[in-house]
Amino acid sequence: MTAARSPHRHLLGIASLGREEIEALLEAADGFVELNRRSDKKLALLRGLTQINLFFESSTRTRTSFELAGKRLGADVVNMSVGVSAIKKGETLIDTAMTLNAMHPDILVVRHHDSGAVALLARHVRCAVINAGDGTHEHPTQALLDALTIRRRRGRIAGLLVAICGDIAHSRVARSNILLLTRLGARVRLVAPPTLLPAGMDRQYGVETFHDMRAGLEGADIVMMLRLQSERMQGSFVPSLREYFHFFGLTWEKLAAARPDALIMHPGPMNRGVEIDGVVADDIDRSAILDQVEMGVAVRMACLDFLTRDLRAAAA
Ligand code: NCD
């Protein structure tokens, strides 16, 4: 584990991280993977610190893994359930931020349905803020855990061909992954129907775009499937789920275009039979989907560790 300090107070997106910082986080996370496999998983690194998980959008794996990450490092972790909080009574985001700030948390982990809301909240609190997903903007810890998964399964990221497939338009996971993977030297392809692939992403991000799965998957080392995010869609982006599966759902037949050892990934939650055939998702040799979940806890521990190093050094 490196002793490097993060120059950032917050982790709001991959966009503000350099290659060396990403690599230092992945190194640290590697150490936490080993810790998490032991029966005694508890460290005292964050003892005395308070972590609040503030989720305005539902979440299973992200919220649970941030909670486990904080607890395994010894922090006191509080989950704010927005359903029963003042937000429902009309409180603004900034009032919520200032209220929480008055309770002296040391880390706030925030998920919000609006792009930019987490950065806005970060300007009104004194503690470190981690973006656990804001609208369609960024989901930095997801991209970090995906990178850790790829690195451990393939030994490297540079030079790999990664096809990110499906609902790119509504996906903060896609955006954070494009930024991270290109920064670490991977070649990225985006594969989606025109309605789900915003024009100009190829030039903006230096990636290739495809509207056909077999062409897009040709020679890919990694096939990253995305959930069709119906809750973010206003109007109809796909003719029908059956047709979407027919053209864009990952099946063995379409996967045959990729490299024979291509790794299958999905951030979850999965829509079986929509973006991915359940049989493909469950193949333990080819699918890294449960590895991604395991790496999620370790990566979040590394992020909590990095963002509190200055605080802990000042207290020592
Ligand atoms: C993703 C999210 O919430 O952005 N899920 C996750 O964090 N595991 C992707 C999704 O919801 O499809």
Side-chain angles (χ1 to χ4, degrees):
M1 217 174 293
T2 76
R5 288 214 185 133
S6 167
H8 299 285
R9 235 177 103 215
H10 307 302
L11 175 59
L12 298 177
I14 298 297
S16 58
L17 294 183
R19 192 173 58 82
E20 280 171 19
E21 286 169 280
I22 295 170
E23 279 169 355
L25 275 165
L26 297 180
E27 283 300 309
D30 249 329
F32 289 124
V33 174
E34 304 316 317
L35 175 78
N36 287 335
R37 289 179 180 174
R38 302 208 302 247
S39 57
D40 181 359
K41 304 168 178 56
K42 191 108 172 167
L43 296 181
L45 273 181
L46 267 59
R47 197 172 57 197
L49 301 187
T50 302
Q51 171 188 336
I52 301 182
N53 297 333
L54 179 61
F55 278 62
F56 294 90
E57 248 187 15
S58 64
S59 163
T60 309
R61 62 212 88 213
T62 305
R63 198 195 56 73
T64 311
S65 64
F66 267 115
E67 181 175 355
L68 280 177
K71 286 181 169 165
R72 286 183 185 170
L73 295 179
D76 293 313
V77 184
V78 177
N79 293 309
M80 276 260 316
S81 168
V82 175
V84 294
S85 77
I87 309 287
K88 284 264 147 107
K89 300 180 184 171
E91 187 174 79
T92 67
L93 181 65
I94 293 168
D95 281 331
T96 307
M98 292 190 330
T99 302
L100 292 177
N101 190 54
M103 297 181 199
H104 296 285
D106 301 287
I107 308 141
L108 271 177
V109 178
V110 187
R111 168 170 285 193
H112 197 282
H113 40 271
D114 289 330
S115 303
V118 181
L120 175 69
L121 185 142
R123 288 204 290 276
H124 293 86
V125 295
R126 278 191 302 271
C127 66
V129 174
I130 300 181
N131 180 5
D134 65 324
T136 59
H137 175 232
E138 277 230 42
H139 191 355
T141 58
Q142 179 70 43
L144 287 163
L145 75 88
D146 289 337
L148 185 63
T149 305
I150 296 171
R151 220 176 68 151
R152 290 177 66 101
R153 292 283 289 247
R154 285 290 174 270
R156 67 191 167 103
I157 288 177
L160 294 181
L161 179 57
V162 183
I164 304 180
C165 313
D167 186 358
I168 312 277
H170 302 97
S171 179
R172 52 198 177 207
V173 174
R175 239 161 291 272
S176 291
N177 261 305
I178 293 166
L179 291 169
L180 189 154
L181 293 167
T182 53
R183 199 148 298 169
L184 293 196
R187 272 175 62 201
V188 174
R189 287 183 183 166
L190 307 179
V191 190
T195 47
L196 295 175
L197 185 50
M201 283 188 84
D202 46 355
R203 272 171 284 115
Q204 189 181 352
Y205 293 102
V207 297
E208 290 174 279
T209 55
F210 292 82
H211 299 311
D212 177 82
M213 279 290 271
R214 286 174 194 82
L217 261 50
E218 183 73 48
D221 297 286
I222 310 287
V223 179
M224 191 181 283
M225 300 307 299
L226 299 172
R227 183 172 66 88
L228 195 62
Q229 306 207 359
S230 312
E231 80 281 11
R232 296 192 189 285
M233 296 180 190
Q234 271 148 15
S236 181
F237 284 78
V238 295
S240 73
L241 296 184
R242 257 189 76 210
E243 192 167 329
Y244 184 78
F245 180 70
H246 177 73
F247 288 108
F248 290 95
L250 188 67
T251 55
W252 288 127
E253 196 216 330
K254 294 192 194 88
L255 190 64
R259 285 176 59 95
D261 61 347
L263 205 60
I264 302 155
M265 301 176 71
H266 192 305
M270 264 187 286
N271 290 315
R272 290 170 184 266
V274 178
E275 69 266 359
I276 190 164
D277 185 341
V279 184
V280 175
D282 293 336
D283 185 295
I284 50 167
D285 295 321
R286 305 293 300 279
S287 163
I289 296 171
L290 293 177
D291 289 16
Q292 290 172 270
V293 179
E294 181 184 7
M295 297 308 126
V297 181
V299 151
R300 285 161 183 137
M301 289 166 84
C303 294
L304 294 171
D305 171 17
F306 271 50
L307 286 176
T308 56
R309 278 184 185 175
D310 284 349
L311 188 67
R312 282 151 37 210

